[in-house]
Amino acid sequence: TDAVGALNHISRSEQARPVLLESEIIGSALGPALQAEYDSFEELDAIFARATMALANLLAHQVDWEPTEAELRDIQVLAPQDSENIDQIYKRPFTEYIEICRPNGAECMKVREGALGILVRCLRYALKGQKWVGITWGTFSVIHAMCNLSEIELNKGVLIAAGLVELLVQLLGIWQRQHSNSGNAGNNRNYRYSSFHTGKGVVIQPRELLLSLQIMTNLAQCERARSIMRHEDAVPILESIGESDLRFGTLDPSLWVLRDRHVGLCMSQHPRLGADSKLAMLDPAVMRLIVEYTCSRGGAGVLANSLAQFLKEDQHSLHVVVG
């Protein structure tokens, strides 16, 4: 369990990703973990969740990647069946779990629905700050993998059916509530999720907001997702996020990157202008985190406004058709 969790963390690094794939770690680490024996379905599901997140990160945008390990094609991994008895299990080819994380993967709908449904459950635990199978599920870890998975066409309908859109609207509502002025959420707007219970210490970070908006944008290509977003009152929340993130005096919202903190950060990375900057002492991984935290909020505002406008225009089109 710990090994798969560690691989999930490392797989988010762009620098580590090609090294991991070349080292054939998918078969040597994930294969045995998914073949091991577990005491309960929940423990097995938790392993599948971490393995799916690692695979999603490793194989994201790997259109031409093919498993080269000969033994990988013969691995049969355990998967829970609809039964209360952990001993009643069936085996599935490990390659099916790989397929659901590849841009051009085969259908494998049974495994796809099971694995993605577990990930949606992990996000629900993360937002409530609840442990599951002794594991504290981090919002960023789940959202990062979800963002990669939501770009795959076959996954979109499955994620929508599993309830991901509703959870993402809840996440936006939590962000909006946490960043409202004096507890006044968006000029006294009433949101469906203003009272959504979050666990103690659960705080939505800017990078999690941005990834959530990217997932919603990916899923919004499906009419069903757009319908759910409208039903869950996503538009006013999106507009509120856009307003709060893009309120920079008379500066055009599209020029948010020219704010002082972004200019200072960019100057620190210049060979001449940033020669004496203390930021040059940081390693690339830490520097990337700083860039994400510094630059994501403005981008989130642009994306939120765009998505809100898209939903409103889509609603208008529906009214025209019906009329």
Side-chain angles (χ1 to χ4, degrees):
T1 302
D2 292 338
V4 179
L7 177 58
N8 176 37
H9 285 289
I10 299 172
S11 66
R12 295 197 293 267
S13 168
E14 292 185 4
Q15 291 78 16
R17 202 172 298 147
V19 177
L20 292 172
L21 288 174
E22 291 176 7
S23 66
E24 301 184 346
I25 198 169
I26 291 179
S28 60
L30 293 182
L34 296 177
Q35 290 178 302
E37 296 183 0
Y38 298 97
D39 296 329
S40 67
F41 281 142
E42 288 197 336
E43 188 178 359
L44 179 61
D45 284 351
I47 289 293
F48 279 123
R50 285 181 154 181
T52 302
M53 288 190 284
L55 285 171
N57 297 332
L58 287 171
L59 302 182
H61 315 299
Q62 300 291 326
V63 179
D64 300 324
W65 182 86
E66 292 288 345
T68 57
E69 305 160 72
E71 69 275 13
L72 192 61
R73 301 182 183 276
D74 300 325
I75 294 178
Q76 296 284 315
V77 299
L78 305 179
Q81 192 168 297
D82 295 331
S83 170
E84 296 180 357
N85 188 349
I86 187 63
D87 294 327
Q88 295 181 14
I89 54 180
Y90 66 96
K91 293 185 177 182
R92 307 291 297 184
F94 183 36
T95 50
E96 291 192 7
Y97 286 90
I98 295 176
E99 291 300 308
I100 69 175
C101 300
R102 299 179 61 201
N104 300 320
E107 280 198 7
C108 308
M109 290 307 295
K110 188 174 183 65
V111 170
R112 192 180 299 273
E113 291 171 356
L116 298 185
I118 293 171
L119 285 189
V120 173
R121 194 195 320 173
C122 292
L123 179 58
R124 184 174 291 107
Y125 286 123
L127 293 179
K128 292 188 175 182
Q130 295 179 350
K131 285 188 175 183
W132 180 46
V133 199
I135 300 172
T136 299
W137 299 89
T139 303
F140 177 70
S141 179
V142 182
I143 287 290
H144 189 280
M146 287 280 200
C147 191
N148 292 326
L149 291 167
S150 67
E151 296 180 3
I152 300 173
E153 288 299 321
L154 286 173
N155 289 340
K156 292 178 180 178
V158 177
L159 291 170
I160 294 168
L164 178 58
V165 176
E166 291 89 339
L167 277 181
L168 292 175
V169 178
Q170 290 178 7
L171 186 151
L172 298 189
I174 296 168
W175 166 273
Q176 194 280 333
R177 186 178 66 197
Q178 291 174 346
H179 293 79
S180 60
N181 294 324
S182 302
N184 186 7
N187 297 325
N188 291 321
R189 291 171 176 168
N190 293 319
Y191 297 119
R192 180 185 297 268
Y193 295 112
S194 61
S195 60
F196 179 74
H197 174 70
T198 56
K200 183 178 180 181
V202 174
V203 176
I204 305 303
Q205 301 293 342
R207 59 180 181 172
E208 296 163 356
L209 173 69
L210 184 59
L211 287 172
S212 299
L213 290 167
Q214 290 173 345
I215 297 172
M216 292 180 69
T217 301
N218 291 337
L219 299 182
Q221 298 176 32
C222 304
E223 192 282 328
R224 175 58 180 159
R226 298 194 298 272
S227 176
I228 295 173
M229 291 178 196
R230 289 191 295 268
H231 180 266
E232 302 297 324
D233 298 329
V235 170
I237 303 179
L238 290 167
E239 291 178 332
S240 177
I241 292 173
E243 291 170 6
S244 62
D245 278 8
L246 299 177
R247 193 178 296 119
F248 306 124
T250 58
L251 183 64
D252 187 295
S254 63
L255 302 180
W256 61 273
V257 292
L258 299 182
R259 285 178 293 169
D260 291 343
R261 62 179 181 177
H262 299 90
V263 174
L265 181 63
C266 292
M267 289 176 64
S268 73
Q269 300 303 294
H270 191 277
R272 177 174 59 84
L273 299 175
D276 297 326
S277 173
K278 299 297 184 183
L279 291 175
M281 301 172 63
L282 300 176
D283 62 70
V286 175
M287 195 62 224
R288 180 177 178 179
L289 285 176
I290 293 175
V291 171
E292 288 180 347
Y293 275 98
T294 304
C295 301
S296 61
R297 286 199 64 187
V302 173
L303 194 54
N305 272 337
S306 300
L307 184 54
Q309 185 64 29
F310 176 64
L311 292 174
K312 289 194 293 186
E313 291 179 357
D314 181 64
Q315 178 67 25
H316 176 72
S317 299
L318 288 176
H319 286 162
V320 172
V321 171
V322 173

